[in-house]
Amino acid sequence: MNLEPERYEFLEPPLYRFELDRRDFFKALGLGVLIVVTRPADAQRRDMPDEIGAWLHIGEDGVVSVYTGKAEMGQNIRTSLAQGVSEELRVPLESIRMIMADTDLVPYDAGTFGSRSTPYMAPQLRKAAVAARELLLQRAAEQWKVDPASVTVAAGKVSHAASKRSATYAELAHGQKLMKAISGESAAPPTGASAPKVNGRDFVTGRHKYTSDLRLPGMLYGKVLRPPAFGAKLASVDKQSAEAIAGATVVHDGDFAGVAAPDELTAERALSALRAQWKQSPAEGSNATLYDDLRRTAENSESVHSAGSVEQGTAAAAHRLKQTYRVAYIAHCPLEPRAALAQWTGGKLTVWTGSQRPFGVRSELAKAFQLDEKQVRVIIPDTGSGYGGKHSGEAAIEAARLARAAGKPVKLLWTREEEFTWAYFRPAGVIDVSAAISKDGTLSAWEFHNYNSGASGIRTLYNIPNQKIEFHRSESPLRQGSYRALAATANHFARESAMDEAAHLAGMDPLEFRRRNLEDARLLAVLNTVAEEFGWPGAKPAGIACGFEKGGYVASCAEVDVDRSSGKVKVTRIVTAFECGAVVNPEHLRNQIEGAVIMGIGGALFEAIEFENGTIRNAGFSGYRVPRFADTPVLGTVLVDRKDLPSAGAGETPIVCVAPAIGNAIFRASGVRLRSLPLLPKGVLPHT
Amino acid sequence: MANVKQLRVNGASVKIDAHPERSLLSVLRDDLDLTGAKYGCGEGQCGACTVLVAGRAVRSCITSVGEVAAKEITTIEGLAKNGRLHPVQQAFLDDDALQCGYCTPGMVLAAVALLEKTPNPTQQQIVSAMQGNICRCGTYPRIARAITKASRSAV
């Protein structure tokens, strides 16, 4: 799989060879029907064997179980993945057992990121269900000695109308080892019915156990001693006082120091009792110098795309635009902070943790403790969100280290401050855009440089003959990595703000300017749809933006109220049109779009990590503002359902047009052009 | 100060033995295994720890167990009666007013407290009452709709 350059937190994904052994499978899962879905490995590596994507099992009890390495963290794939299976197997949705993200039980999966579950995992599972249905149908036809074409499947039963015979899946699976390996290429499109969250009741009653809710007998609570600043190294630790506390286990191992105790209060006391000496290293960087630093430390550029000659395209231009846009570091702020529960039994390590990469975390643990991966089991309970921020297994490693020393299970919960400080951020960035506009309003040249933020969404679908698009890696003063939509948010902010500025120079309406420069039918479709739904240009000042990412096409219109005397800005309405091929679950798709838009408001208006001297200055919700009820505008969402196209994912793309639509609206309302995210760090327009 | 030996939770008396300055959140979660109330920030800023004390929404992470020793505490586990969901819980389910679900218990209880005080809240009253509860997944419009729906159904 091609990883975007800004996925800094990843190591090379391990390639996994899996030998299909019929006996092992049925021994582990029980007799019955088994479908194994293979998928070709990375298209660029045709020498590698097919990987297994998922398996589906129907037991002698008739229970349908689906095994997938994908993890659930609010994007509702536990429901949408099961929908396809329930539709093709003609059984109720609630009867499907989804076994997800347990490395002992499910096939290898690189991780739940990149909006891949819907386009890749869902068709595999659908196809597996079809294959299972056909196997059962065949079995019945053989048993009854009838033509398979005369056998039908409905409501969990196989029937032969002519002879009035029928059998349940359980009856057909009894004593059988029916197995088929299929390749999960294409599948029938989804029916597109909304289905409620399969285990929703557990969440509204508090029954669902997140990692932080789990307990094991004899469990201890763990805490880690954190450095006073980034780059500080542990020089020495006096453990005496801490060790004297009854029930406390104290660990000092190289750079790591931590404690575990039978209750949290004792653990806190033990942690406070550690006397540590730190070797500080001067940590570079602060908000004040950030953007200059990113530019100054830029390495060789990577040309992402070039066409024609930007110089020539610019020469005869009627208008020229040259601007710089900036985006701050922001934090994911998953409401459930990192947590892990680790247990060593015999030579095996089991860790429950909220992560998007169960196999990635397993690999991290195996390396950290010099174990074979077979000796490590990682289990991901349905988790309290991730947004790309939970790819790494810090808490898992910390809990496991303490558990090994204590000889007891250890539950380790990161505080909110730790989650703000010791995870990774969405990269900050500087983006230079130059554009040349002809007299007729068409773009004749486009040059786009992204420093540090990333290359996702850096290419444009606008029809521009001369282009130069480059990504430059820089030295980041803060740890950075994946975040919902990666750099597509930053690149769309820069591009769609620049497009708006170009339209202004050309004296054209922003919508008309975009249409003039666009031929891509799918992008035009969402652009026109949102304009119509919004009522563009509308009675109040508004901005528009459109884009494309991960197979999804999106366009947003934002409307704002600006009070010129106080500088206060209120976003009153945001309408979004979204097209991702065939829609699987319309209601959950709307939920994702609305959620992404609301999250995007934060990054657009007020979210920013403040740092200096190697510390985060606003490592809590009092200093780092996230969107709340009062920040929610009226939302409109239009789904453009293309049943004729394969389904793409939708967890990320709807976020990308929020910031530029709002920025463009503010310009319309006030004449003030803001080129830095967050647009209103002080909550009001800057004094001009 | 003496340890707190008893609490009234979800209509029943439960035995505990807790230092009075411990947070109510930690006692509920660690001593009573009532894990519905969640840790989100530890400083009363996110609302994930919300429980009801004498019917009022309270941030249990910044409330000491000593403060509530003699009061009626309601957690998310105590809302449904005889297997029937509270109208707010049912409305959240019906309207898909959750994604990852971590904020949900706190949201539900804050909404229950609001409806007790203001049975037919306006949108503005909902926003004001719920402003202390964060949903990072961004389901605010759905939650607001669910609360309005619940306010219209007979309790």
Side-chain angles (χ1 to χ4, degrees):
Chain A
M1 178 195 331
N2 289 321
L3 289 181
E4 298 87 342
E6 64 263 39
R7 291 204 187 277
Y8 300 102
E9 80 283 10
F10 280 179
L11 306 169
E12 264 301 299
L15 289 162
Y16 191 75
R17 278 196 135 86
F18 201 101
E19 247 95 78
L20 288 176
D21 188 322
R22 182 187 291 245
R23 288 164 301 152
D24 282 347
F25 266 114
F26 285 111
K27 196 162 158 219
L29 303 181
L31 299 181
V33 176
L34 175 71
I35 309 296
V36 175
V37 187
T38 61
R39 51 158 197 248
D42 196 327
Q44 291 186 340
R45 307 204 50 171
R46 294 207 177 279
D47 56 318
M48 294 305 297
D50 284 356
E51 291 179 27
I52 293 187
W55 49 75
L56 185 154
H57 179 258
I58 302 178
E60 293 185 288
D61 51 5
V63 172
V64 178
S65 303
V66 174
Y67 296 80
T68 169
K70 294 299 177 197
E72 169 63 53
M73 49 197 70
Q75 79 282 49
N76 277 328
I77 54 171
R78 180 178 283 283
T79 303
S80 60
L81 292 178
Q83 274 178 266
V85 173
S86 108
E87 278 163 20
E88 295 296 351
L89 272 175
R90 328 266 155 91
V91 293
L93 186 57
E94 311 74 57
S95 71
I96 311 255
R97 266 182 70 215
M98 292 291 297
I99 291 106
M100 301 175 72
D102 179 332
T103 60
D104 261 13
L105 300 179
V106 306
Y108 171 79
D109 186 89
T112 307
F113 54 79
S115 302
R116 298 171 64 84
S117 298
T118 296
Y120 296 105
M121 183 58 64
Q124 290 178 28
L125 296 181
R126 261 203 115 81
K127 209 154 184 249
V130 171
R133 188 182 76 218
E134 282 168 3
L135 264 185
L136 289 165
L137 197 146
Q138 284 291 335
R139 178 85 202 103
E142 278 164 23
Q143 251 182 346
W144 300 332
K145 296 189 176 33
V146 299
D147 179 7
S150 63
V151 179
T152 54
V153 180
K157 273 219 266 263
V158 182
S159 310
H160 183 241
S163 62
K164 291 203 188 15
R165 274 179 291 193
S166 75
T168 62
Y169 292 169
E171 286 160 352
L172 290 164
H174 185 73
Q176 296 299 313
K177 283 183 187 173
L178 300 170
M179 177 167 161
K180 191 164 182 204
I182 61 167
S183 99
E185 290 294 320
S186 56
T191 55
S194 287
K197 194 177 176 74
V198 289
N199 51 354
R201 199 186 167 96
D202 286 346
F203 291 90
V204 300
T205 56
R207 255 196 78 204
H208 174 69
K209 297 286 186 187
Y210 296 87
T211 300
S212 40
D213 302 326
L214 297 174
R215 56 178 2 160
L216 288 172
M219 181 180 85
L220 306 179
Y221 294 82
K223 290 187 187 297
V224 177
L225 186 68
R226 301 291 174 193
F230 300 130
K233 291 274 179 240
L234 196 49
S236 69
V237 182
D238 179 353
K239 304 187 290 188
Q240 228 183 349
S241 311
E243 277 168 336
I245 293 171
T249 301
V250 182
V251 175
H252 174 205
D253 185 348
D255 280 326
F256 175 84
V259 302
D263 63 88
E264 259 219 281
L265 215 53
T266 308
E268 269 165 36
R269 277 176 53 220
L271 191 73
S272 305
L274 289 175
R275 298 273 163 274
Q277 300 277 15
W278 299 91
K279 202 165 69 209
Q280 307 249 23
S281 68
E284 312 279 327
S286 73
N287 296 86
T289 62
L290 173 62
Y291 300 117
D292 291 338
D293 292 343
L294 291 178
R295 227 191 247 292
R296 187 173 46 80
T297 62
E299 297 161 17
N300 296 331
S301 60
E302 289 169 35
S303 170
V304 179
H305 182 66
S306 79
S309 157
V310 165
E311 288 73 31
Q312 279 182 22
T314 310
H319 312 279
R320 289 177 206 190
L321 174 76
K322 192 169 156 65
Q323 291 294 352
T324 297
Y325 303 88
R326 298 174 173 87
V327 297
Y329 289 105
I330 63 177
H332 307 74
C333 307
L335 203 61
E336 181 191 12
R338 275 160 168 66
L341 171 59
Q343 177 180 47
W344 294 83
T345 14
K348 182 137 183 183
L349 169 63
T350 302
V351 182
W352 290 261
T353 190
S355 165
Q356 299 172 237
R357 297 171 68 225
F359 289 89
V361 172
R362 183 178 74 166
S363 179
E364 283 183 62
L365 287 165
K367 285 198 181 74
F369 296 101
Q370 285 113 49
L371 298 170
D372 195 283
E373 288 193 353
K374 281 196 190 60
Q375 296 171 273
V376 181
R377 179 180 187 181
V378 175
I379 303 169
I380 317 286
D382 290 8
T383 296
S385 75
Y387 318 119
K390 286 182 176 170
H391 290 168
S392 44
E394 299 89 345
I397 295 173
E398 291 160 358
R401 184 63 190 86
L402 292 169
R404 194 171 73 174
K408 292 189 174 145
V410 169
K411 182 157 78 174
L412 190 138
L413 312 176
W414 278 29
T415 63
R416 178 56 57 187
E417 190 181 341
E418 285 175 310
E419 186 67 36
F420 262 111
T421 309
W422 300 104
Y424 53 87
F425 304 108
R426 186 199 70 181
V430 179
I431 301 171
D432 293 334
V433 185
S434 303
I437 308 121
S438 307
K439 246 174 91 176
D440 65 354
T442 55
L443 289 159
S444 56
W446 179 265
E447 188 165 349
F448 194 98
H449 295 266
N450 178 310
Y451 293 84
N452 190 63
S453 167
S456 289
I458 202 175
R459 288 195 58 172
T460 177
L461 287 178
Y462 290 114
N463 196 24
I464 312 169
N466 303 294
Q467 297 187 28
K468 187 172 177 189
I469 299 182
E470 295 182 359
F471 165 62
H472 309 256
R473 287 177 198 272
S474 305
E475 273 170 39
S476 171
L478 295 182
R479 185 178 172 211
Q480 55 184 17
S482 299
Y483 178 100
R484 197 173 197 173
L486 302 177
T489 300
N491 287 324
H492 279 79
F493 172 65
R495 177 165 55 252
E496 288 297 288
S497 298
M499 284 298 286
D500 222 61
E501 298 204 57
H504 189 69
L505 282 174
M508 285 176 69
D509 168 83
L511 170 63
E512 198 41 51
F513 184 75
R514 285 170 173 79
R515 282 179 179 145
R516 184 73 56 94
N517 286 281
L518 202 49
E519 275 169 12
D520 186 284
R522 290 173 78 178
L523 189 51
L524 272 168
V526 290
L527 183 63
N528 291 327
T529 301
V530 80
E532 197 191 316
E533 182 72 15
F534 181 80
W536 181 267
K540 292 164 68 171
I544 193 166
C546 65
F548 162 78
E549 176 64 14
K550 302 227 169 66
Y553 295 79
V554 64
S556 293
C557 284
E559 177 186 271
V560 298
D561 271 342
V562 174
D563 182 328
R564 282 321 311 260
S565 56
S566 68
K568 280 212 179 99
V569 176
K570 187 162 170 63
V571 181
T572 49
R573 186 165 65 117
I574 297 181
V575 178
T576 300
F578 187 67
E579 189 258 287
C580 55
V583 175
V584 175
N585 183 324
E587 208 42 48
H588 286 174
L589 176 55
R590 280 178 196 282
N591 210 341
Q592 281 302 299
I593 294 167
E594 290 164 10
V597 168
I598 288 170
M599 193 171 192
I601 287 171
L605 288 178
F606 38 71
E607 287 185 44
I609 287 291
E610 290 160 26
F611 69 102
E612 69 178 341
N613 299 326
T615 63
I616 305 299
R617 312 301 295 155
N618 56 345
F621 290 128
S622 41
Y624 185 97
R625 183 178 163 189
V626 296
R628 292 176 183 265
F629 272 92
D631 300 306
T632 308
V634 170
L635 290 183
T637 307
V638 182
L639 305 183
V640 179
D641 192 355
R642 289 290 304 266
K643 290 212 183 303
D644 58 314
L645 295 171
S647 305
E652 300 177 87
T653 305
I655 205 174
V656 307
C657 286
V658 178
I662 294 176
N664 295 341
I666 290 175
F667 176 74
R668 245 311 144 82
S670 68
V672 177
R673 173 60 67 180
L674 299 170
R675 301 188 183 92
S676 210
L677 294 186
L679 297 170
L680 305 172
K682 290 185 170 40
V684 292
L685 284 179
H687 279 302
T688 39
Chain B
M1 253 168 100
N3 275 10
V4 178
K5 295 296 181 97
Q6 187 179 264
L7 279 186
R8 290 282 306 166
V9 182
N10 297 329
S13 290
V14 290
K15 281 192 178 21
I16 58 170
D17 188 11
H19 190 285
E21 274 163 32
R22 276 182 61 198
S23 72
L24 174 58
L25 179 66
S26 75
V27 172
L28 290 171
R29 289 179 55 79
D30 299 339
D31 298 11
L32 296 172
D33 203 26
L34 292 168
T35 56
K38 307 294 181 200
Y39 170 89
C41 72
E43 42 175 22
Q45 287 280 328
C46 77
C49 68
T50 305
V51 297
L52 302 183
V53 175
R56 273 177 48 248
V58 147
R59 312 295 180 214
S60 64
C61 73
I62 50 171
T63 303
S64 72
V65 70
E67 284 175 64
V68 298
K71 304 197 176 142
E72 292 289 330
I73 299 164
T74 308
T75 70
I76 189 75
E77 291 90 345
L79 264 199
K81 297 269 183 274
N82 300 320
R84 266 195 89 211
L85 296 179
H86 188 284
V88 171
Q89 288 172 306
Q90 190 63 55
F92 268 60
L93 268 191
D94 295 343
D95 283 12
D96 265 308
L98 63 148
Q99 290 184 24
C100 83
Y102 198 75
C103 74
T104 303
M107 289 285 183
V108 167
L109 288 167
V112 168
L114 165 66
L115 293 181
E116 285 289 307
K117 222 179 99 190
T118 314
N120 290 299
T122 61
Q123 274 306 293
Q124 192 43 54
Q125 284 172 318
I126 292 175
V127 168
S128 293
M130 302 297 291
Q131 182 66 354
N133 287 68
I134 292 174
C135 171
R136 189 51 162 166
C137 294
T139 62
Y140 299 122
R142 288 165 184 271
I143 293 174
R145 273 202 299 276
I147 294 173
T148 301
K149 183 184 247 181
S151 74
R152 293 189 183 138
S153 58
V155 177

